Amino acid sequence: MSDLIFLDSAGSSIPPAEVVDEVIGHLRRETEIGGYRAAAERRDDLEAGYGVLAELFGCEPSEVAFTDSATRSWLTVFDAVPLTRGDRILITEVEYGANAVPALRRAEETGAIVEVIPSDRHGQLDVDALDLDERVKLISLVHVPTNSGLVNPVNEVTAKAREVGALVLLDACQSTGQIDLRHHDYDMLVCTGRKWLRGPRGTGALVVRDDARQKLWPRLMDHDGAAWTAPDRYEPRDDARVFELWEFNVADRLGLIAAAKYALAKGLDVIEAEVTDRAKRLREGLTNIPGITVRDLGERQSGIVTFTSDRVSAMELKDRLWDEKVAVTVSQSGSTLIDMTKRGLDEVVRASPHYFVTHEEIDQALDRISRSVR
C-alpha cells in the first residue's frame, strides 16, 4: 500500500530502510552460523548501543538498560521502588492503564496509596496543586498521553519532587522520537522503540539515573543483572543493566540502535519541529470540517491529534479511513480511564503524522476525513 497516508506513528510507526536492513540482515546471519556466533560478531555494536541511547536521552551509558517494551521497563523499575504501608504513589489524570493496574496491584500488596494529581484548566498536570510530603515515594509522570496532544511539564515536577526526596518515573513512550528529551530532568525514564523512534516492535529502553539507582531494590534479576559469586551469595551490577535479562532478541536490539542513530543523524530538534508542524496543520484543518471536534488538551501540544465526529463512531471512522488509504487508530477509555471519564469520552480517533508525512498528504487526509463523515 505505497499510496497509504500513514498517520499512526503513535501506534507503531514505519521503520526506515536502515532499521529493516539491520534486523533482517542479522536474522539471515543467524541462519548461517547460529544465534550465539552471530551475536558474538556484533558484540562491539551491541556494547556501543548504550552510548547511542545515552546520546539520545542526554544521560550516561551506565544509566541505560535495554528491554523489550516501555511496559516491561516500567514494570521492572516500578517493582524496584521500596514501598511500605502509608507511602504515597502519585499518578496523573492521563495515566496509562498499563501503569495504573500494576500501581493499584502493588498498593494492595504493600499498603501504599495511589493518588491522582489534578489537572489545570488546560488539561495538563497542575504543578501548583502538587501535594508533596516525605510519604510521596514515586510520581508516575506520563509525558505525552495516548489520547490527546497534551505535553505534560517535566522539569517543574521533578524540581518539586526533589524537595521531598520523591522519585519521578517519566513515561516517555509517546515522546521518545518526537520530542528532544536531552534537557529533561527525571529519575527514571521508560520508552518503546516502535512508535516515534521508528524502531522494531518488541524493543524498549529504561534510563535510571545513577543517584536514583541507589534508592532502588531490583527484585527481578537473573545472572546477567547480578553475578552468582558463591552458593549463598550474589553481587548485583552497579549500573542500569542490573535491570536487564540475559536473553534478548539480538536482531531487534540492533534495529533499535539503528533507529536511534537514524534519529540522531536527522537531528532531534529538526524532528520535533517537523512533527509539531505536521500536527498543527492537521489539527487546524480538522477544525474546519463540519461535525468534527478536536479533543486535544494542553498549552503545548505534541504530534498526536485526537478528534471525534458527531455523525460517525470513532471505530467506524477509522475503518472508513482505512478504506480511503488513511491509517489512523482509536484510543478507548480503558487506556486512559481517568481523563476519558472526566471528559465524558468513550473513544477518540487518534492521528499521529510523523516528519515523513508531507503537507500534501495532510491535506489529502483532511479531504478524505471530510468525505468519510458525510
Side-chain angles (χ1 to χ4, degrees), residues 14-291:
I14 296 175
E18 288 84 343
V19 172
V20 177
D21 291 345
E22 186 72 282
V23 173
I24 294 177
H26 188 77
L27 289 175
R28 285 178 174 153
R29 187 59 173 158
E30 287 185 345
T31 69
E32 296 168 351
I33 63 173
Y36 279 16
R37 288 180 175 83
E41 288 182 343
R42 302 302 300 275
R43 184 179 292 117
D44 290 345
D45 295 320
L46 291 166
E47 185 64 28
Y50 294 92
V52 174
L53 290 198
E55 185 178 355
L56 186 74
F57 294 115
C59 65
E60 296 298 322
S62 63
E63 297 174 323
V64 173
F66 286 91
T67 69
D68 58 18
S69 67
T71 300
R72 180 70 65 189
S73 297
W74 199 96
L75 290 171
T76 301
V77 76
F78 174 67
D79 185 77
V81 177
L83 293 173
T84 59
R85 181 169 299 278
D87 288 342
R88 300 169 63 200
I89 304 166
L90 304 187
I91 65 174
T92 64
E93 290 185 354
V94 292
E95 183 63 273
Y96 285 99
N99 301 344
V101 169
L104 293 169
R105 179 77 169 174
R106 188 117 188 269
E108 286 181 339
E109 175 191 25
T110 62
I113 305 164
V114 177
E115 302 175 15
V116 180
I117 307 167
S119 298
D120 64 17
R121 62 188 180 88
H122 301 288
Q124 61 207 25
L125 181 153
D126 190 344
V127 178
D128 293 332
L130 275 172
D131 176 22
L132 302 181
D133 58 30
E134 68 281 355
R135 295 176 300 145
V136 178
K137 302 304 179 185
L138 181 77
I139 301 175
S140 175
L141 177 56
V142 173
H143 194 194
V144 174
T146 188
N147 68 325
S148 77
L150 166 70
V151 179
N152 263 322
V154 176
N155 291 348
E156 299 91 330
V157 173
T158 302
K160 283 183 169 285
R162 296 269 190 268
E163 296 174 2
V164 297
L167 295 169
V168 175
L169 173 50
L170 183 65
D171 191 321
C173 73
Q174 288 289 10
S175 51
T176 302
Q178 69 150 318
I179 293 176
D180 187 347
L181 296 166
R182 291 175 293 184
H183 305 294
H184 289 66
D185 189 18
Y186 52 82
D187 296 296
M188 300 92 76
L189 174 149
V190 304
C191 78
T192 183
R194 65 179 161 88
K195 297 181 185 290
W196 300 93
L197 196 53
R198 304 182 67 194
R201 293 199 67 175
T203 60
L206 168 63
V207 176
V208 182
R209 300 295 192 183
D210 288 335
D211 289 344
R213 184 167 43 80
Q214 307 305 319
K215 301 178 182 180
L216 303 176
W217 198 81
R219 291 195 297 176
L220 307 177
M221 293 186 295
D222 67 5
H223 63 304
D224 192 56
W228 192 14
T229 57
D232 60 347
R233 290 192 299 277
Y234 65 94
E235 185 66 33
R237 290 185 62 108
D238 62 354
D239 57 16
R241 290 192 232 184
V242 69
F243 295 100
E244 290 187 356
L245 299 177
W246 182 84
E247 179 62 26
F248 63 92
N249 187 315
V250 176
D252 283 349
R253 184 173 295 185
L254 290 168
L256 178 63
I257 295 167
K261 288 180 177 178
Y262 191 91
L264 288 166
K266 182 170 178 63
L268 302 181
D269 55 342
V270 173
I271 292 172
E272 183 170 342
E274 292 189 5
V275 170
T276 300
D277 168 73
R278 276 32 167 206
K280 181 180 179 182
R281 189 180 188 93
L282 178 60
R283 199 175 283 120
E284 291 177 351
L286 286 168
T287 63
N288 296 320
I289 300 176

Side-chain angles (χ1 to χ4, degrees), residues 319-335:
D319 292 341
R320 290 186 185 184
L321 288 173
W322 181 255
D323 291 339
E324 293 277 354
K325 299 190 184 310
V326 177
V328 297
T329 193
V330 171
S331 287
Q332 297 179 309
S333 60
S335 61

